[in-house]
Each structure stands twice: as C-alpha cells, then as structure tokens.
Amino acid sequence: MAGVGGGGNDVQWCFSQVKGAIDDDVAEADIISTVEFSHSGELLATGDKGGRVVIFQQAPENKSQPQCRSEYNVYSTFQSHEPEFDYLKSLEIEEKINKIRWLPQKNAAQFLLSTNDKTIKLWKISERDKRPEGYNLKEEDGRYRDPSTVTTLRVPVFRPMDLMVEASPRRVFANAHTYHINSISVNSDYETYLSTDDLRINLWHLEITDRSFNIVDIKPANMEELTEVITAAEFHPNQCNTFVYSSSKGTIRLCDMRASALCDKHSKLFEEPEDPSNRSFFSEIISSISDVKFSHSGRYLMTRDYLSVKIWDLNMENRPVETYQVHEYLRSKLCSLYENDCIFDKFECCWNGNDNVVMTGSYNNFFRMFDRAQRRDVTLEASRESSRPRSVLKPRKVCAGGKRKKDEISVDSLDFNKKILHTAWHPQDNIIAVATTNNLYIFQDKPN
Amino acid sequence: MSESIEETKTIDETSTLEQQEVEDKVISPEKMEEAKLKARYPNLGAKPGGSDLLRKRLQKGQKYFDSGDYNMAKAKIKNKQLPAAMAEKTEITGDHIPTPQDLPQRKPSLVASKLAG
C-alpha cells in the first residue's frame, strides 16, 4: 500500500523497535515527556515525568546486512532533575523533563540541555573506554599502599576497559523563571540559547549561569489584564539574530535581536484572520499554538494548534501557505473534550530532513504525516499489535459519521487516553521516533 | 444568495428553511458543542480563554503550606492530648492545616526508567 514520504518515492513505514514496559499499568514517572534526535541522528534522547533521561545510540551499520538499518540501543540513562518544593511560594516544582535540546557535537563528548519547569541543565555525556593501571601508591582495587613497601617505580599505563558512558551536569541555569518553562532553543551561534516560560523569554550564554538577559516580557502591569501567554519559542536555524514565539491566541511573533535589547516589539506578526461569524466558546482555546518549528531551510514555520498543522512562509504574515487538518472530526466533540481537559493537550510537530513531510500526533495512538510535495497524508498507529519486526504499517482511517467501513474506527471508539504528543524525525533518514504514553516506538522506511 | 431564496420562496418554503438549518449545523459543529457546554454549565463565564483559565495555568503546582499556621497548630497540639492530633492526621486538605509530615514525600525516581530495560 502506498505510503507518504519525501523525495518522490513512496515510503512504506515499518516497525523497527519499541522501548518500554508492556504492562498497561503505567507509573506516572514513566510517562514520556520529550523526544529528540541529536544533530547527526546517531543519538536519540527521551525525557520522562520522573525527571529521567534515556539516550539511545544507533548501532553502527551492519556491513553484512546493509539493507537492514541499524537499531537504537540504550547508551546512557541518568536522573536529570529531581522534585523540589519552593517554600517561599508554596510551589511544588515537578521533575518532569519538558524539553531536551542537543548541542551540535564539537569534540568526543556530547552535550544536551534538559529542562523542567524552573531549571535548565547542561549535561555532558562522555565515553570512557580506557583506564589507568599500574599506580605506584594504589592497589588495583583502590586501596592505598604503604609507601615504605614500594621498592620499584613503574609508569602507569592506559589499558582498554568495557565502555562506560558517563553523564555529568556541567552547568545549572536556575532561578531565572517565575513561571513554567515550556521551551528551550539553542542558537545557531552555538554559544547562546533561549528559555521560555508563560510570560518571558530569557537569553543565556552556555558558559554563564549566574545571569541571563530577558528579551521578551509580556507580563501586564495588572495581572487581571492577562489575555495571552507564550506557548513556545525557537531560534531561526541559521540567522542567529532571529527567533519566533507563539501564543495561546494563535499568533506567532518573529523578533530580531538586532533591533533592540528588549524584543517586546515584534518584527513580524503571523496571524490568520478569523471569521467572526464562526467564533465560538472554543475558538480561542483550539487556536492556541502548542508547538512551533522552523523548517530546516529556515524559510518556513510550522505551527500546531489543537486541530491542525499550519505552514507559514516567513515572507507572508497574513495567512499560512498550507493548512493540514489533523483530526477535524473532533470539532463536533469539543464539549466533551473540554470537560475531560483533552482540549488542552499540547501536541508537538516535526519536519523531515528535506522539509517535504511534516508529522504530528493524535489520539488512539494515531499519528499523522502530511507530504507537502505530493499533497498526500496518512494516518498510522503505534501499537503492540503492529509490532512484528519489519512489518509494514497499515494506514488507519477514522470514520467521522455515517456508515463505518470495515477496518475504519469510529470517532466514539477512539481512546483519548492514548495520546501521541511527542514525535521526532531523524535529521537525514526516514527514521521516526514516536512516543505513546510510556513506550517509544521507532519506525523506519522499508528497505529496498 | 438572497435572490435565489426569494425565487424559490413561493415554490418550496419549508424545505429551504430546513436546508438552512442543516447548513447551519454543518457549518458550525463548534456552535452546537458550545450550546451543549452552556446547557451543562450555565454559570460558565463569557470569556473562555481569558484570565481565569490563564491564571489557573500560571498557578500550576501551588500547594498550601503556611509555616505560620503550621507553627501555631504545633503549639496548640502540644497543649492537647496526642490521640486527638492523630485523628486529624488522616485529612490532608480542607479544614486540617497540613504539616510537613502530611505532605506527600516527593522523592526522585530511584528506579531506572523502563525504557532502558
């Protein structure tokens, strides 16, 4: 069956791997909260509600089986954040990892930024495959030798040892956010990064932890007048002076840091005009942007709101150039989705390597891909049922109303507890990581 | 649009009106959902995405522990018999002033992530 892909050929997505426990009883700590490939795609990081980070590494290509793309195996895991209690404000600070962003690799070690609601940390992940042996004053097990027993001297040498991957926190960027951090983004200058909470955006230097610059502040003088919050922000992929931030009212503002130190005045405002006759109680809530991502080229911007994905051309502010409906059938279910809080779910979205295909998650463990070039879309499912090695994923279809065809699923049968909020696409290849509540699925395109 | 309605008015009024109603429903399922919501919650405020919702979002994580109240309660308990205080310990919210022992212990996950299993 034809699939959606990029580059002209039809891509057929196959199950590759699934990580995590099979049992239905999900501990809160195991809920995956972020997924991110490194710049080369060799590493894949996940963060969870329990404050832990797990990093997977792609095994080197198997020369004898070149058609079989290699698997991702556990490389490192560590506790990034711990729960805290702010006694001054009576505020519980969750250890949940909201975002992970990798730094581009500069030397043997890998670096990533991970953040919870209040604190960002820079982690160094390094390999150790040798250890020194033959000390004069220490036994091999570490006990100190009595110096008076040493009769000869030797030079300690490095000997190979089993690979050990160590993660250590190199910087802790704390106390800069009154509200809850929702985004971090590394600048293309590879020296600075921004962190965003509901009302403010701060600019940091990766080396400096005791100060940061506030570059956007939308807090009103009187909090009663609060009408919108910042939902996400990202630096432009190659213009180090440019960043965008999205709001709960469905607008995106592009700011230029060369214009002024405080970027409260936007350079561009991306907003689709609303038809006032269509306005309802839910309009503003479903227009809230849950994720914003620049294309790799830097020419386009993608936003995700509750029901759709929109592609904006940076040169056109008054409307998106493309709009894709993720699950339009939910429009007639908004009342119950409001009652069970699902209307506030924050779905993320991502681009494929050549910006031809975009992907986002939905309910019932469904996820959607939209091929911009071929004008096709597909709905796939991340489930244990379709988890036989290299089995091709069958496209799924939701029946909005009327007669349900065989193999279709009706809207009322959808499981709204099975949400795919986080997905990631390998920077070059057709490898995707899809997170269900507590499992990580890896799918790859079918080898020829 | 209005011209065509006038033309068909004499011919088949009722079916046009029905058509209009169906069109309304088709055009805005959102409005139907809104009506459903307002029927269930008549006290719902007019401003949906406004201050209340946002302020709730900004206050996420708020717990109520007042060290002043705690110390006052501690002083009172000293004068009372212990069994009385024990009975109160089962309540966490409401009338009972929480003590540090009552607040659920937030310990980090000592267990490794199951993704790494």
Side-chain angles (χ1 to χ4, degrees), chain A residues 69-81:
Chain A
R69 253 214 224 91
S70 39
E71 296 197 327
Y72 281 82
N73 303 314
V74 179
Y75 180 65
S76 171
T77 175
F78 54 93
Q79 184 79 35
S80 172
H81 286 71

Side-chain angles (χ1 to χ4, degrees), chain A residues 245-302:
Chain A
Y245 68 92
S246 58
S247 83
S248 53
K249 276 189 163 172
T251 62
I252 308 102
R253 287 173 175 80
L254 184 139
C255 301
D256 186 338
M257 295 196 292
R258 297 170 302 188
S260 70
L262 190 60
C263 296
D264 278 358
K265 268 221 309 268
H266 54 262
S267 299
K268 293 194 184 189
L269 174 65
F270 298 86
E271 187 173 17
E272 187 167 23
E274 191 191 23
D275 181 358
S277 65
N278 276 340
R279 193 166 173 80
S280 77
F281 176 86
F282 304 110
S283 299
E284 194 174 298
I285 302 174
I286 62 171
S287 72
S288 177
I289 292 172
S290 49
D291 195 14
V292 67
K293 291 262 167 58
F294 274 103
S295 64
H296 292 95
S297 62
R299 165 91 192 266
Y300 297 99
L301 201 56
M302 167 164 56

Side-chain angles (χ1 to χ4, degrees), chain A residues 90 277 280 331-332 335 339, chain B residues 30-31 33 40-41 61 63:
Chain A
S90 272
S277 65
S280 77
R331 202 179 283 270
S332 52
C335 179
E339 288 179 303
Chain B
E30 255 181 69
K31 292 235 166 85
E33 292 294 301
R40 287 188 208 174
Y41 307 101
K63 288 265 174 328

Side-chain angles (χ1 to χ4, degrees), chain A residues 128-135 140-141 156-162 164:
Chain A
R128 193 195 290 265
D129 61 359
K130 313 184 255 293
R131 62 154 188 233
E133 280 177 25
Y135 283 107
E140 292 307 323
D141 60 10
V157 290
F158 275 102
R159 294 223 187 277
M161 62 180 253
D162 288 339
M164 203 163 76

Side-chain angles (χ1 to χ4, degrees), chain A residues 75-346:
Chain A
Y75 180 65
S76 171
T77 175
F78 54 93
Q79 184 79 35
S80 172
H81 286 71
E82 295 185 357
E84 291 172 64
F85 197 90
D86 182 341
Y87 293 101
L88 209 57
K89 295 178 186 166
S90 272
L91 205 67
E92 193 170 62
I93 302 170
E94 269 193 303
E95 66 274 36
K96 172 167 77 90
I97 308 296
N98 292 334
K99 287 274 154 52
I100 288 173
R101 289 287 181 263
W102 290 93
L103 265 55
Q105 191 173 16
K106 283 195 282 195
N107 50 39
Q110 299 275 1
F111 287 87
L112 61 78
L113 287 171
S114 70
T115 186
N116 69 349
D117 282 340
K118 296 287 179 182
T119 305
I120 307 122
K121 295 188 185 179
L122 176 69
W123 287 89
K124 176 180 179 182
I125 296 110
S126 47
E127 294 183 358
R128 193 195 290 265
D129 61 359
K130 313 184 255 293
R131 62 154 188 233
E133 280 177 25
Y135 283 107
N136 293 292
L137 296 173
K138 262 202 294 195
E139 302 286 357
E140 292 307 323
D141 60 10
R143 281 179 303 144
Y144 283 100
R145 286 166 81 182
D146 180 357
S148 59
T149 64
V150 177
T151 51
T152 58
L153 285 180
R154 56 189 176 167
V155 178
V157 290
F158 275 102
R159 294 223 187 277
M161 62 180 253
D162 288 339
L163 180 68
M164 203 163 76
V165 182
E166 300 168 322
S168 58
R170 303 306 282 180
R171 305 270 187 278
V172 177
F173 304 92
N175 303 318
H177 286 279
T178 308
Y179 303 99
H180 300 104
I181 298 174
N182 53 56
S183 314
I184 45 174
S185 178
V186 183
N187 202 347
S188 51
D189 64 10
Y190 302 156
E191 285 190 344
T192 57
Y193 75 95
L194 59 77
S195 60
T196 311
D197 67 32
D198 293 313
L199 298 177
R200 298 189 177 104
I201 302 179
N202 293 331
L203 180 72
W204 302 83
H205 190 286
L206 285 163
E207 300 289 324
I208 299 164
T209 58
D210 65 354
R211 80 196 77 170
S212 88
F213 289 100
N214 176 245
I215 52 177
V216 173
D217 188 339
I218 66 165
K219 184 176 179 190
N222 181 2
M223 283 297 271
E224 303 280 320
E225 290 162 24
L226 181 67
T227 54
E228 94 187 289
V229 294
I230 302 172
T231 52
E234 198 183 45
F235 265 120
H236 190 279
N238 42 59
Q239 290 169 25
C240 59
N241 54 289
T242 305
F243 67 92
V244 293
Y245 68 92
S246 58
S247 83
S248 53
K249 276 189 163 172
T251 62
I252 308 102
R253 287 173 175 80
L254 184 139
C255 301
D256 186 338
M257 295 196 292
R258 297 170 302 188
S260 70
L262 190 60
C263 296
D264 278 358
K265 268 221 309 268
H266 54 262
S267 299
K268 293 194 184 189
L269 174 65
F270 298 86
E271 187 173 17
E272 187 167 23
E274 191 191 23
D275 181 358
S277 65
N278 276 340
R279 193 166 173 80
S280 77
F281 176 86
F282 304 110
S283 299
E284 194 174 298
I285 302 174
I286 62 171
S287 72
S288 177
I289 292 172
S290 49
D291 195 14
V292 67
K293 291 262 167 58
F294 274 103
S295 64
H296 292 95
S297 62
R299 165 91 192 266
Y300 297 99
L301 201 56
M302 167 164 56
T303 57
R304 173 71 155 99
D305 50 70
Y306 191 60
L307 298 178
S308 66
V309 162
K310 293 180 181 167
I311 311 287
W312 304 77
D313 185 324
L314 285 194
N315 299 315
M316 189 162 76
E317 298 167 60
N318 60 357
R319 59 179 171 81
V321 288
E322 293 151 42
T323 301
Y324 301 105
Q325 300 302 334
V326 181
H327 36 219
E328 179 66 15
Y329 46 78
L330 294 184
R331 202 179 283 270
S332 52
K333 300 284 169 199
L334 292 177
C335 179
S336 31
L337 292 168
Y338 178 87
E339 288 179 303
N340 62 18
D341 273 353
C342 282
I343 206 174
F344 301 106
D345 285 337
K346 294 179 179 47

Side-chain angles (χ1 to χ4, degrees), chain A residues 28 106 197 249 391 419 430 443:
Chain A
E28 274 231 8
K106 283 195 282 195
D197 67 32
K249 276 189 163 172
S391 62
K419 1 185 161 211
N430 276 335
F443 301 108

Side-chain angles (χ1 to χ4, degrees), chain A residues 26-66:
Chain A
V26 182
E28 274 231 8
D30 292 326
I31 296 173
I32 299 173
S33 50
T34 186
V35 183
E36 187 81 356
F37 277 100
S38 64
H39 288 252
S40 64
E42 188 205 348
L43 299 176
L44 175 60
T46 61
D48 65 23
K49 208 159 183 223
R52 300 163 301 192
V53 170
V54 182
I55 302 175
F56 302 93
Q57 182 189 43
Q58 197 175 26
E61 285 257 326
N62 194 338
K63 297 288 188 230
S64 57
Q65 283 188 305

